[in-house]
Amino acid sequence: MVDQKNIDKRMEAKNVVQLKHMLVMELNQIKEENNVDIMMFMGVDGRVFSSIIPPILDAPQFKLLNLVKSNMVHICNQLNSENMRSSI
């Protein structure tokens, strides 16, 4: 069991800039370990907090990215109404 008093939700970051940098580092590590092209860290309300998107996308990738981003709020609202969580 995890000792609750040893958990630091700020990941020991001294300011917001350092926290953002640490978040991007974690996303890069997940991206490399799982061999994915696009990573987005989103809130349940559809807001994108951080993302890693290649500078050049082919047409199908670009279309899929825009489709997911434009419908994410609706997907999150549907899951939230069912008391569910999403991980895509």
Side-chain angles (χ1 to χ4, degrees):
M1 182 151 183
V2 177
D3 187 13
Q4 292 295 327
K5 62 183 175 182
N6 290 332
I7 295 176
D8 185 3
K9 294 181 182 180
R10 297 174 294 123
M11 298 169 51
E12 298 180 11
K14 303 216 182 326
N15 56 40
V16 175
V17 176
Q18 188 178 18
L19 183 61
K20 173 74 173 178
H21 179 69
M22 293 171 77
L23 176 61
V24 170
M25 285 176 39
E26 288 293 323
L27 287 177
N28 279 325
Q29 183 178 352
I30 293 168
K31 180 180 176 264
E32 290 172 9
E33 288 175 356
N34 295 299
N35 196 26
V36 295
D37 295 325
I38 297 172
M39 290 283 302
M40 289 188 291
F41 180 66
M42 303 177 79
V44 292
D45 57 356
R47 291 182 294 164
V48 178
F49 295 110
S50 186
S51 64
I52 300 172
I53 301 171
I56 299 173
L57 298 173
D58 58 14
Q61 289 173 324
F62 185 76
K63 184 177 179 181
L64 179 62
L65 177 63
N66 284 330
L67 185 64
V68 168
K69 283 174 57 178
S70 64
N71 289 310
M72 189 53 66
V73 174
H74 303 296
I75 294 168
C76 291
N77 284 337
Q78 288 177 339
L79 293 174
N80 193 25
S81 68
E82 298 293 326
N83 294 325
M84 299 178 74
R85 296 182 185 182
S86 62
S87 177
I88 299 175

Short mmCIF file of all heavy atoms in Angstrom, two decimals, residues 33-88:
data_model
loop_
_atom_site.label_atom_id
_atom_site.label_comp_id
_atom_site.label_asym_id
_atom_site.label_seq_id
_atom_site.Cartn_x
_atom_site.Cartn_y
_atom_site.Cartn_z
N GLU A 33 8.10 4.55 -25.37
CA GLU A 33 7.92 3.20 -24.86
C GLU A 33 6.80 2.46 -25.58
O GLU A 33 6.84 1.24 -25.73
CB GLU A 33 7.64 3.22 -23.36
CG GLU A 33 8.84 3.58 -22.52
CD GLU A 33 8.50 3.71 -21.05
OE1 GLU A 33 7.31 3.60 -20.68
OE2 GLU A 33 9.43 3.95 -20.25
N ASN A 34 5.76 3.19 -26.00
CA ASN A 34 4.60 2.55 -26.61
C ASN A 34 4.54 2.70 -28.12
O ASN A 34 3.58 2.26 -28.75
CB ASN A 34 3.32 3.11 -25.97
CG ASN A 34 3.24 2.75 -24.51
OD1 ASN A 34 3.21 1.58 -24.16
ND2 ASN A 34 3.24 3.75 -23.65
N ASN A 35 5.56 3.34 -28.69
CA ASN A 35 5.67 3.49 -30.13
C ASN A 35 4.40 4.10 -30.75
O ASN A 35 3.80 3.52 -31.66
CB ASN A 35 6.01 2.15 -30.79
CG ASN A 35 6.51 2.31 -32.19
OD1 ASN A 35 7.05 3.36 -32.54
ND2 ASN A 35 6.34 1.29 -33.01
N VAL A 36 4.00 5.26 -30.24
CA VAL A 36 2.86 5.98 -30.78
C VAL A 36 3.35 7.27 -31.44
O VAL A 36 4.43 7.76 -31.14
CB VAL A 36 1.81 6.30 -29.69
CG1 VAL A 36 1.20 5.06 -29.14
CG2 VAL A 36 2.41 7.14 -28.59
N ASP A 37 2.55 7.82 -32.33
CA ASP A 37 2.95 9.02 -33.06
C ASP A 37 2.44 10.30 -32.40
O ASP A 37 3.10 11.32 -32.43
CB ASP A 37 2.43 8.97 -34.50
CG ASP A 37 3.08 7.84 -35.29
OD1 ASP A 37 4.26 7.57 -35.05
OD2 ASP A 37 2.39 7.24 -36.12
N ILE A 38 1.24 10.24 -31.84
CA ILE A 38 0.60 11.44 -31.28
C ILE A 38 0.21 11.17 -29.84
O ILE A 38 -0.38 10.14 -29.54
CB ILE A 38 -0.64 11.83 -32.11
CG1 ILE A 38 -0.23 12.18 -33.54
CG2 ILE A 38 -1.39 12.98 -31.46
CD1 ILE A 38 -1.38 12.39 -34.48
N MET A 39 0.53 12.11 -28.96
CA MET A 39 0.15 12.01 -27.55
C MET A 39 -0.59 13.28 -27.15
O MET A 39 -0.16 14.38 -27.50
CB MET A 39 1.38 11.88 -26.65
CG MET A 39 2.12 10.59 -26.75
SD MET A 39 1.33 9.24 -25.87
CE MET A 39 1.24 9.85 -24.22
N MET A 40 -1.70 13.13 -26.44
CA MET A 40 -2.42 14.28 -25.90
C MET A 40 -2.81 13.98 -24.46
O MET A 40 -3.33 12.91 -24.18
CB MET A 40 -3.68 14.58 -26.72
CG MET A 40 -3.39 15.14 -28.09
SD MET A 40 -4.85 15.70 -28.96
CE MET A 40 -5.67 14.17 -29.31
N PHE A 41 -2.52 14.92 -23.59
CA PHE A 41 -2.93 14.82 -22.19
C PHE A 41 -4.10 15.77 -22.03
O PHE A 41 -3.95 16.97 -22.14
CB PHE A 41 -1.78 15.20 -21.26
CG PHE A 41 -2.13 15.12 -19.81
CD1 PHE A 41 -2.42 13.91 -19.21
CD2 PHE A 41 -2.16 16.27 -19.04
CE1 PHE A 41 -2.74 13.84 -17.86
CE2 PHE A 41 -2.47 16.21 -17.70
CZ PHE A 41 -2.76 14.99 -17.11
N MET A 42 -5.31 15.20 -21.82
CA MET A 42 -6.53 15.98 -21.83
C MET A 42 -7.28 15.83 -20.52
O MET A 42 -7.21 14.79 -19.87
CB MET A 42 -7.43 15.53 -22.97
CG MET A 42 -6.78 15.60 -24.32
SD MET A 42 -7.84 14.98 -25.62
CE MET A 42 -8.90 16.38 -25.85
N GLY A 43 -8.04 16.87 -20.18
CA GLY A 43 -8.92 16.81 -19.04
C GLY A 43 -10.23 16.15 -19.42
O GLY A 43 -10.54 15.96 -20.60
N VAL A 44 -11.03 15.82 -18.43
CA VAL A 44 -12.32 15.16 -18.73
C VAL A 44 -13.30 16.09 -19.43
O VAL A 44 -14.29 15.64 -19.99
CB VAL A 44 -12.97 14.61 -17.44
CG1 VAL A 44 -12.16 13.46 -16.87
CG2 VAL A 44 -13.18 15.70 -16.40
N ASP A 45 -13.00 17.40 -19.42
CA ASP A 45 -13.87 18.35 -20.11
C ASP A 45 -13.41 18.59 -21.55
O ASP A 45 -13.96 19.43 -22.25
CB ASP A 45 -13.94 19.67 -19.35
CG ASP A 45 -12.58 20.29 -19.13
OD1 ASP A 45 -11.56 19.67 -19.50
OD2 ASP A 45 -12.53 21.40 -18.57
N GLY A 46 -12.38 17.86 -22.01
CA GLY A 46 -11.92 17.99 -23.38
C GLY A 46 -10.79 18.97 -23.59
O GLY A 46 -10.31 19.12 -24.71
N ARG A 47 -10.35 19.66 -22.54
CA ARG A 47 -9.24 20.61 -22.68
C ARG A 47 -7.93 19.85 -22.85
O ARG A 47 -7.67 18.89 -22.15
CB ARG A 47 -9.12 21.53 -21.47
CG ARG A 47 -10.25 22.52 -21.35
CD ARG A 47 -10.04 23.42 -20.18
NE ARG A 47 -10.13 22.60 -18.96
CZ ARG A 47 -9.70 22.99 -17.77
NH1 ARG A 47 -9.15 24.16 -17.60
NH2 ARG A 47 -9.81 22.19 -16.73
N VAL A 48 -7.10 20.29 -23.79
CA VAL A 48 -5.79 19.70 -24.02
C VAL A 48 -4.78 20.45 -23.17
O VAL A 48 -4.55 21.63 -23.36
CB VAL A 48 -5.40 19.76 -25.51
CG1 VAL A 48 -4.02 19.17 -25.72
CG2 VAL A 48 -6.42 19.04 -26.37
N PHE A 49 -4.18 19.76 -22.20
CA PHE A 49 -3.19 20.38 -21.33
C PHE A 49 -1.80 20.31 -21.93
O PHE A 49 -0.98 21.21 -21.73
CB PHE A 49 -3.19 19.72 -19.95
CG PHE A 49 -4.48 19.93 -19.21
CD1 PHE A 49 -5.34 18.87 -18.99
CD2 PHE A 49 -4.83 21.18 -18.74
CE1 PHE A 49 -6.53 19.06 -18.31
CE2 PHE A 49 -6.01 21.38 -18.06
CZ PHE A 49 -6.86 20.31 -17.84
N SER A 50 -1.50 19.25 -22.63
CA SER A 50 -0.21 19.09 -23.28
C SER A 50 -0.37 18.09 -24.40
O SER A 50 -1.20 17.19 -24.32
CB SER A 50 0.83 18.61 -22.27
OG SER A 50 2.11 18.58 -22.84
N SER A 51 0.44 18.26 -25.44
CA SER A 51 0.35 17.33 -26.56
C SER A 51 1.70 17.24 -27.26
O SER A 51 2.51 18.15 -27.20
CB SER A 51 -0.73 17.76 -27.55
OG SER A 51 -0.38 19.00 -28.13
N ILE A 52 1.90 16.12 -27.90
CA ILE A 52 3.06 15.90 -28.74
C ILE A 52 2.51 15.46 -30.09
O ILE A 52 1.99 14.35 -30.23
CB ILE A 52 4.00 14.83 -28.16
CG1 ILE A 52 4.50 15.27 -26.79
CG2 ILE A 52 5.16 14.56 -29.11
CD1 ILE A 52 5.27 14.20 -26.05
N ILE A 53 2.60 16.34 -31.06
CA ILE A 53 2.08 16.09 -32.40
C ILE A 53 3.21 16.33 -33.38
O ILE A 53 3.84 17.39 -33.35
CB ILE A 53 0.88 17.00 -32.71
CG1 ILE A 53 -0.23 16.76 -31.68
CG2 ILE A 53 0.37 16.77 -34.12
CD1 ILE A 53 -1.38 17.73 -31.75
N PRO A 54 3.50 15.39 -34.27
CA PRO A 54 4.57 15.59 -35.25
C PRO A 54 4.29 16.82 -36.12
O PRO A 54 3.13 17.14 -36.41
CB PRO A 54 4.55 14.32 -36.10
CG PRO A 54 3.79 13.33 -35.32
CD PRO A 54 2.87 14.09 -34.43
N PRO A 55 5.35 17.53 -36.54
CA PRO A 55 5.14 18.73 -37.35
C PRO A 55 4.56 18.43 -38.73
O PRO A 55 3.91 19.28 -39.33
CB PRO A 55 6.54 19.34 -37.47
CG PRO A 55 7.50 18.27 -37.08
CD PRO A 55 6.75 17.29 -36.23
N ILE A 56 4.79 17.23 -39.24
CA ILE A 56 4.28 16.86 -40.56
C ILE A 56 3.40 15.62 -40.41
O ILE A 56 3.84 14.58 -39.91
CB ILE A 56 5.42 16.57 -41.54
CG1 ILE A 56 6.28 17.81 -41.72
CG2 ILE A 56 4.88 16.08 -42.89
CD1 ILE A 56 7.53 17.60 -42.53
N LEU A 57 2.14 15.75 -40.83
CA LEU A 57 1.18 14.64 -40.80
C LEU A 57 0.69 14.39 -42.22
O LEU A 57 0.50 15.34 -42.99
CB LEU A 57 -0.01 14.97 -39.91
CG LEU A 57 0.26 15.22 -38.43
CD1 LEU A 57 -1.00 15.69 -37.75
CD2 LEU A 57 0.77 13.97 -37.77
N ASP A 58 0.46 13.13 -42.57
CA ASP A 58 -0.15 12.87 -43.86
C ASP A 58 -1.65 13.10 -43.75
O ASP A 58 -2.19 13.33 -42.67
CB ASP A 58 0.21 11.48 -44.40
CG ASP A 58 -0.20 10.35 -43.48
OD1 ASP A 58 -1.00 10.59 -42.56
OD2 ASP A 58 0.27 9.22 -43.69
N ALA A 59 -2.34 13.06 -44.86
CA ALA A 59 -3.77 13.43 -44.90
C ALA A 59 -4.64 12.60 -43.95
O ALA A 59 -5.45 13.17 -43.21
CB ALA A 59 -4.29 13.35 -46.32
N PRO A 60 -4.52 11.26 -43.94
CA PRO A 60 -5.37 10.49 -43.02
C PRO A 60 -5.08 10.79 -41.54
O PRO A 60 -6.00 10.87 -40.73
CB PRO A 60 -5.04 9.03 -43.34
CG PRO A 60 -4.49 9.05 -44.71
CD PRO A 60 -3.79 10.36 -44.85
N GLN A 61 -3.80 10.99 -41.19
CA GLN A 61 -3.46 11.32 -39.80
C GLN A 61 -4.05 12.68 -39.41
O GLN A 61 -4.59 12.83 -38.32
CB GLN A 61 -1.94 11.36 -39.62
CG GLN A 61 -1.27 10.03 -39.67
CD GLN A 61 0.24 10.16 -39.64
OE1 GLN A 61 0.81 11.10 -40.19
NE2 GLN A 61 0.89 9.22 -38.99
N PHE A 62 -3.93 13.65 -40.29
CA PHE A 62 -4.45 14.98 -40.02
C PHE A 62 -5.96 14.95 -39.85
O PHE A 62 -6.52 15.56 -38.93
CB PHE A 62 -4.06 15.93 -41.16
CG PHE A 62 -4.44 17.35 -40.92
CD1 PHE A 62 -3.71 18.14 -40.03
CD2 PHE A 62 -5.51 17.93 -41.57
CE1 PHE A 62 -4.06 19.46 -39.80
CE2 PHE A 62 -5.86 19.24 -41.35
CZ PHE A 62 -5.13 20.01 -40.46
N LYS A 63 -6.64 14.21 -40.72
CA LYS A 63 -8.10 14.10 -40.65
C LYS A 63 -8.54 13.44 -39.35
O LYS A 63 -9.46 13.90 -38.68
CB LYS A 63 -8.63 13.31 -41.85
CG LYS A 63 -10.12 13.23 -41.92
CD LYS A 63 -10.58 12.51 -43.16
CE LYS A 63 -12.09 12.42 -43.20
NZ LYS A 63 -12.57 11.71 -44.39
N LEU A 64 -7.85 12.35 -38.96
CA LEU A 64 -8.19 11.66 -37.72
C LEU A 64 -7.93 12.54 -36.50
O LEU A 64 -8.75 12.59 -35.58
CB LEU A 64 -7.39 10.36 -37.60
CG LEU A 64 -7.64 9.54 -36.35
CD1 LEU A 64 -9.09 9.09 -36.26
CD2 LEU A 64 -6.71 8.34 -36.30
N LEU A 65 -6.80 13.25 -36.48
CA LEU A 65 -6.50 14.14 -35.37
C LEU A 65 -7.57 15.21 -35.20
O LEU A 65 -8.06 15.45 -34.10
CB LEU A 65 -5.13 14.80 -35.58
CG LEU A 65 -4.72 15.83 -34.52
CD1 LEU A 65 -4.57 15.16 -33.15
CD2 LEU A 65 -3.43 16.52 -34.93
N ASN A 66 -7.98 15.85 -36.29
CA ASN A 66 -9.02 16.87 -36.21
C ASN A 66 -10.37 16.28 -35.81
O ASN A 66 -11.13 16.92 -35.07
CB ASN A 66 -9.13 17.62 -37.54
CG ASN A 66 -8.00 18.60 -37.72
OD1 ASN A 66 -7.48 19.13 -36.75
ND2 ASN A 66 -7.63 18.83 -38.95
N LEU A 67 -10.66 15.09 -36.27
CA LEU A 67 -11.92 14.42 -35.91
C LEU A 67 -11.96 14.13 -34.41
O LEU A 67 -12.97 14.40 -33.74
CB LEU A 67 -12.08 13.14 -36.72
CG LEU A 67 -13.38 12.37 -36.57
CD1 LEU A 67 -14.55 13.21 -37.08
CD2 LEU A 67 -13.30 11.07 -37.34
N VAL A 68 -10.86 13.59 -33.88
CA VAL A 68 -10.80 13.29 -32.44
C VAL A 68 -10.89 14.57 -31.62
O VAL A 68 -11.65 14.65 -30.65
CB VAL A 68 -9.51 12.50 -32.11
CG1 VAL A 68 -9.29 12.42 -30.62
CG2 VAL A 68 -9.58 11.11 -32.70
N LYS A 69 -10.10 15.59 -31.99
CA LYS A 69 -10.10 16.85 -31.23
C LYS A 69 -11.46 17.52 -31.25
O LYS A 69 -11.91 18.05 -30.23
CB LYS A 69 -9.04 17.79 -31.79
CG LYS A 69 -7.63 17.42 -31.36
CD LYS A 69 -6.57 18.25 -32.01
CE LYS A 69 -6.73 19.71 -31.79
NZ LYS A 69 -5.64 20.50 -32.39
N SER A 70 -12.15 17.51 -32.39
CA SER A 70 -13.44 18.18 -32.48
C SER A 70 -14.55 17.45 -31.74
O SER A 70 -15.52 18.06 -31.32
CB SER A 70 -13.84 18.39 -33.94
OG SER A 70 -14.03 17.16 -34.57
N ASN A 71 -14.41 16.14 -31.55
CA ASN A 71 -15.45 15.36 -30.87
C ASN A 71 -15.10 14.98 -29.45
O ASN A 71 -15.91 14.34 -28.77
CB ASN A 71 -15.76 14.09 -31.67
CG ASN A 71 -16.48 14.40 -32.95
OD1 ASN A 71 -17.47 15.11 -32.95
ND2 ASN A 71 -15.98 13.89 -34.06
N MET A 72 -13.92 15.35 -28.96
CA MET A 72 -13.48 14.93 -27.64
C MET A 72 -14.40 15.45 -26.53
O MET A 72 -14.68 14.73 -25.57
CB MET A 72 -12.04 15.37 -27.39
CG MET A 72 -11.45 14.78 -26.14
SD MET A 72 -11.56 12.97 -26.00
CE MET A 72 -10.51 12.44 -27.32
N VAL A 73 -14.88 16.67 -26.65
CA VAL A 73 -15.78 17.21 -25.62
C VAL A 73 -17.04 16.36 -25.52
O VAL A 73 -17.49 16.03 -24.43
CB VAL A 73 -16.12 18.68 -25.92
CG1 VAL A 73 -17.16 19.21 -24.95
CG2 VAL A 73 -14.87 19.54 -25.88
N HIS A 74 -17.60 15.97 -26.65
CA HIS A 74 -18.82 15.15 -26.66
C HIS A 74 -18.55 13.76 -26.09
O HIS A 74 -19.36 13.22 -25.33
CB HIS A 74 -19.38 15.05 -28.08
CG HIS A 74 -19.69 16.37 -28.69
ND1 HIS A 74 -20.65 17.22 -28.21
CD2 HIS A 74 -19.13 17.00 -29.75
CE1 HIS A 74 -20.69 18.32 -28.94
NE2 HIS A 74 -19.77 18.21 -29.88
N ILE A 75 -17.40 13.18 -26.46
CA ILE A 75 -17.04 11.86 -25.94
C ILE A 75 -16.89 11.92 -24.43
O ILE A 75 -17.42 11.08 -23.70
CB ILE A 75 -15.74 11.35 -26.60
CG1 ILE A 75 -15.98 11.10 -28.08
CG2 ILE A 75 -15.23 10.09 -25.90
CD1 ILE A 75 -14.70 10.88 -28.88
N CYS A 76 -16.17 12.94 -23.94
CA CYS A 76 -15.96 13.09 -22.49
C CYS A 76 -17.28 13.32 -21.76
O CYS A 76 -17.49 12.78 -20.67
CB CYS A 76 -14.98 14.23 -22.21
SG CYS A 76 -13.29 13.86 -22.71
N ASN A 77 -18.17 14.12 -22.34
CA ASN A 77 -19.46 14.37 -21.70
C ASN A 77 -20.30 13.09 -21.61
O ASN A 77 -20.95 12.84 -20.60
CB ASN A 77 -20.24 15.44 -22.47
CG ASN A 77 -19.72 16.82 -22.22
OD1 ASN A 77 -19.08 17.08 -21.20
ND2 ASN A 77 -19.97 17.72 -23.14
N GLN A 78 -20.27 12.28 -22.65
CA GLN A 78 -21.01 11.03 -22.62
C GLN A 78 -20.44 10.09 -21.57
O GLN A 78 -21.19 9.45 -20.82
CB GLN A 78 -20.99 10.36 -23.99
CG GLN A 78 -21.85 11.05 -25.01
CD GLN A 78 -21.74 10.41 -26.37
OE1 GLN A 78 -20.77 9.71 -26.67
NE2 GLN A 78 -22.72 10.67 -27.22
N LEU A 79 -19.11 9.98 -21.50
CA LEU A 79 -18.50 9.11 -20.50
C LEU A 79 -18.74 9.64 -19.09
O LEU A 79 -18.99 8.86 -18.16
CB LEU A 79 -17.00 8.98 -20.77
CG LEU A 79 -16.61 8.23 -22.04
CD1 LEU A 79 -15.12 8.30 -22.26
CD2 LEU A 79 -17.07 6.79 -21.98
N ASN A 80 -18.68 10.96 -18.93
CA ASN A 80 -18.91 11.56 -17.61
C ASN A 80 -20.34 11.32 -17.14
O ASN A 80 -20.57 11.07 -15.96
CB ASN A 80 -18.60 13.05 -17.66
CG ASN A 80 -18.51 13.65 -16.28
OD1 ASN A 80 -18.23 12.97 -15.31
ND2 ASN A 80 -18.75 14.93 -16.20
N SER A 81 -21.29 11.39 -18.06
CA SER A 81 -22.69 11.16 -17.67
C SER A 81 -22.93 9.72 -17.23
O SER A 81 -23.86 9.43 -16.50
CB SER A 81 -23.64 11.54 -18.80
OG SER A 81 -23.50 10.63 -19.88
N GLU A 82 -22.08 8.82 -17.69
CA GLU A 82 -22.17 7.41 -17.29
C GLU A 82 -21.22 7.07 -16.15
O GLU A 82 -21.03 5.90 -15.83
CB GLU A 82 -21.86 6.51 -18.49
CG GLU A 82 -22.82 6.66 -19.65
CD GLU A 82 -24.20 6.18 -19.32
OE1 GLU A 82 -24.34 5.20 -18.55
OE2 GLU A 82 -25.16 6.77 -19.84
N ASN A 83 -20.60 8.12 -15.55
CA ASN A 83 -19.63 7.95 -14.47
C ASN A 83 -18.48 7.05 -14.88
O ASN A 83 -18.02 6.19 -14.14
CB ASN A 83 -20.29 7.40 -13.20
CG ASN A 83 -21.26 8.38 -12.61
OD1 ASN A 83 -21.04 9.58 -12.67
ND2 ASN A 83 -22.34 7.90 -12.06
N MET A 84 -18.00 7.24 -16.10
CA MET A 84 -16.90 6.45 -16.63
C MET A 84 -15.70 7.36 -16.90
O MET A 84 -15.82 8.57 -16.98
CB MET A 84 -17.32 5.76 -17.92
CG MET A 84 -18.46 4.80 -17.75
SD MET A 84 -18.97 4.06 -19.30
CE MET A 84 -17.65 2.93 -19.59
N ARG A 85 -14.55 6.74 -17.06
CA ARG A 85 -13.31 7.45 -17.41
C ARG A 85 -12.87 7.01 -18.80
O ARG A 85 -13.20 5.92 -19.23
CB ARG A 85 -12.21 7.14 -16.40
CG ARG A 85 -12.53 7.62 -15.03
CD ARG A 85 -11.38 7.32 -14.12
NE ARG A 85 -11.72 7.67 -12.75
CZ ARG A 85 -10.89 7.56 -11.76
NH1 ARG A 85 -9.68 7.11 -11.95
NH2 ARG A 85 -11.26 7.90 -10.56
N SER A 86 -12.10 7.87 -19.44
CA SER A 86 -11.62 7.51 -20.77
C SER A 86 -10.10 7.50 -20.79
O SER A 86 -9.44 8.26 -20.12
CB SER A 86 -12.13 8.50 -21.81
OG SER A 86 -11.63 9.79 -21.53
N SER A 87 -9.55 6.61 -21.59
CA SER A 87 -8.13 6.55 -21.86
C SER A 87 -7.99 6.07 -23.28
O SER A 87 -8.26 4.91 -23.58
CB SER A 87 -7.43 5.60 -20.89
OG SER A 87 -6.06 5.52 -21.21
N ILE A 88 -7.62 6.96 -24.16
CA ILE A 88 -7.54 6.61 -25.58
C ILE A 88 -6.09 6.66 -26.00
O ILE A 88 -5.39 7.58 -25.69
CB ILE A 88 -8.37 7.60 -26.44
CG1 ILE A 88 -9.82 7.52 -26.01
CG2 ILE A 88 -8.21 7.29 -27.89
CD1 ILE A 88 -10.71 8.50 -26.70
#
